[in-house]
Amino acid sequence: PIDTMDVKQGTIEYMVEQAIPFPSKLVYGYKADKREALAKSFFKSATQNEIINQVKKVYLDIWRLQEEEQINRHALSIFTVDKGRAETSYAVLEASIADPVRASVDLGEIEGRLVMIDGEKQELIATLASLIAKEIDESAVFAPPPEYPQVDEVSKLIAKAKSVRPEILGAEKMVDSGRSKKSFAMSQYLPDFKFRFSFMDMPGNMQNAWTGRIGLSVPLWSFSKQRFQVREANANLSRANSIKEETQLAAAKEVKATHARLMAAQKMVEIYSKSVVPRAKLLLSSSEEAYKSKKSDFLNVVESIRSLVNSELMLVKARTDAAKAFSDLERAVGAPIFKEGT
């Protein structure tokens, strides 16, 4: 009342009001958010797979350098022995000074390569330690890559990638989320419900009252707003479909490329392990025997050692390339790629 300071004379209303969207809005909104969250979980898995692939590649590079160090040290020991033979032959005037000098030059080159290998190896160990967030003993010995079994043909690997690769699954969930968002946008044309419940404390001898009200909020004057929301949802859905198709095409291309690289690297491993390296060892043995019996000169021995070192280095590189290609192929597919039954 305006004619008194006694507020007890007024009417006090205690009210609770709840607005509830149309049920379809709640359903489609929930589906859209849930599917988007699932898509993000797949993208997280894709990031984890990429990090695992990086760790494998750095590990393989360290193993390669470890093997190159052993090969060069073995060559160093061979050159040291042959240098001693050349010096002995020179001392008894059976050979020229060029032979021990040539051996000394090659020894110096090998020692220089060993220094470079050690520096690169320590750098890669530091990189690996950073990737796995753990200190690595610099004297640790790294195991060689395993002998991988046969893999499925390209068509099966592509089909598998489309069904399990995290990026593709995430893109599919984004399409599902886009459909739900479109349905959600269309449902904005529908009214919302309002429920009100109140208690009125009346003054004086007037009777107190309980009241209830149910209302509808109809978007009569804002249809343009809903129309633009639907257009935006359609555009986002088209974009999600395009990303899905692009992801599938990129995965298929990556699977084909890495599969071809794996086949080539495995072929190189077979050629060098079964043919080139054994022949290079035989050539060195023959050259050393010929030099000892004065049937050949020291230059042939040097060339034989270089040939053996190069072939062994190429074998190590081929094994590393094959292991990297296998890791890349698993990354491209998104799952292990062993052929069933192998």
Side-chain angles (χ1 to χ4, degrees):
I2 62 174
D3 59 347
T4 175
M5 296 294 292
D6 187 1
V7 296
K8 293 181 179 180
Q9 303 247 344
T11 299
I12 302 176
E13 182 178 9
Y14 304 93
M15 181 177 63
V16 176
E17 184 176 274
Q18 176 66 51
I20 299 179
F22 199 83
S24 63
K25 297 180 183 180
L26 297 174
V27 172
Y28 291 126
Y30 167 76
K31 287 183 177 180
D33 291 341
K34 180 180 179 180
R35 289 166 178 172
E36 186 173 352
L38 286 173
K40 291 180 178 179
S41 70
F42 284 120
F43 296 145
K44 175 184 176 182
S45 298
T47 302
Q48 291 174 336
N49 289 344
E50 182 61 33
I51 293 175
I52 291 172
N53 191 35
Q54 290 179 16
V55 170
K56 289 181 179 180
K57 286 185 173 182
V58 174
Y59 180 96
L60 290 169
D61 280 332
I62 297 174
W63 174 81
R64 172 180 57 80
L65 291 173
Q66 175 182 279
E67 294 300 301
E68 289 183 2
E69 181 181 7
Q70 292 181 0
I71 292 170
N72 279 279
R73 291 195 181 281
H74 182 235
L76 191 69
S77 64
I78 296 175
F79 267 114
T80 301
V81 173
D82 288 333
K83 178 188 175 184
R85 291 172 182 164
E87 289 175 343
T88 302
S89 297
Y90 170 69
V92 297
L93 302 178
E94 293 181 353
S96 68
I97 188 62
D99 291 348
V101 171
R102 185 179 292 113
S104 298
V105 171
D106 283 282
L107 284 170
E109 290 179 354
I110 293 175
E111 290 172 350
R113 285 199 297 268
L114 287 171
V115 172
M116 294 177 62
I117 289 173
D118 183 66
E120 187 177 353
K121 180 181 174 183
Q122 300 310 319
E123 182 178 352
L124 286 173
I125 289 177
T127 301
L128 181 60
S130 176
L131 285 172
I132 66 175
K134 183 179 180 180
E135 290 294 329
I136 299 176
D137 187 356
E138 295 182 357
S139 62
V141 177
F142 291 79
E147 294 294 333
Y148 297 111
Q150 187 179 0
V151 299
D152 285 317
E153 54 266 25
V154 175
S155 59
K156 290 185 178 181
L157 293 175
I158 292 175
K160 187 174 184 178
K162 290 181 178 180
S163 63
V164 301
R165 177 160 172 161
E167 292 93 330
I168 295 177
L169 297 180
E172 290 175 347
K173 289 301 177 183
M174 288 303 297
V175 171
D176 293 340
S177 177
R179 293 195 185 102
S180 297
K181 288 181 179 180
K182 178 182 176 180
S183 300
F184 177 76
M186 295 179 67
S187 69
Q188 297 305 307
Y189 287 107
L190 300 174
D192 294 330
F193 298 102
K194 285 189 176 181
F195 298 91
R196 179 185 295 179
F197 181 74
S198 65
F199 171 74
M200 299 184 68
D201 187 0
M202 308 298 289
N205 294 325
M206 297 180 65
Q207 184 176 3
N208 298 334
W210 296 88
T211 63
R213 181 183 299 176
I214 299 177
L216 288 176
S217 176
V218 182
L220 293 177
W221 305 105
S222 59
F223 278 171
S224 61
K225 174 183 177 182
Q226 282 74 23
R227 186 164 59 251
F228 288 127
Q229 287 178 340
V230 173
R231 289 179 181 176
E232 181 182 8
N234 279 326
N236 289 333
L237 178 57
S238 297
R239 181 174 179 271
N241 277 311
S242 297
I243 291 175
K244 174 187 172 182
E245 293 175 2
E246 181 182 353
T247 303
Q248 289 177 336
L249 290 174
K253 178 182 177 181
E254 189 177 353
V255 168
K256 290 179 181 178
T258 52
H259 184 272
R261 186 154 52 91
L262 174 60
M263 294 298 102
Q266 288 181 337
K267 186 64 176 178
M268 291 292 289
V269 170
E270 182 179 1
I271 291 172
Y272 274 90
S273 62
K274 295 182 179 180
S275 178
V276 179
V277 172
R279 291 176 182 177
K281 290 180 179 179
L282 180 61
L283 176 62
L284 175 59
S285 177
S286 300
S287 298
E288 288 181 331
E289 290 298 325
Y291 179 70
K292 289 178 185 178
S293 60
K294 307 297 186 291
K295 295 179 181 179
S296 177
D297 58 17
F298 188 71
L299 182 59
N300 288 332
V301 176
V302 171
E303 292 299 328
S304 298
I305 296 174
R306 290 175 179 173
S307 178
L308 176 60
V309 170
N310 290 334
S311 61
E312 288 179 335
L313 290 176
M314 287 299 296
L315 175 58
V316 169
K317 182 180 182 301
R319 290 188 64 186
T320 305
D321 290 344
K324 285 184 176 181
F326 189 90
S327 179
D328 285 338
L329 187 55
E330 282 194 325
R331 170 70 183 86
V333 173
I337 57 174
F338 298 133
K339 187 175 182 179
E340 294 184 4
T342 60

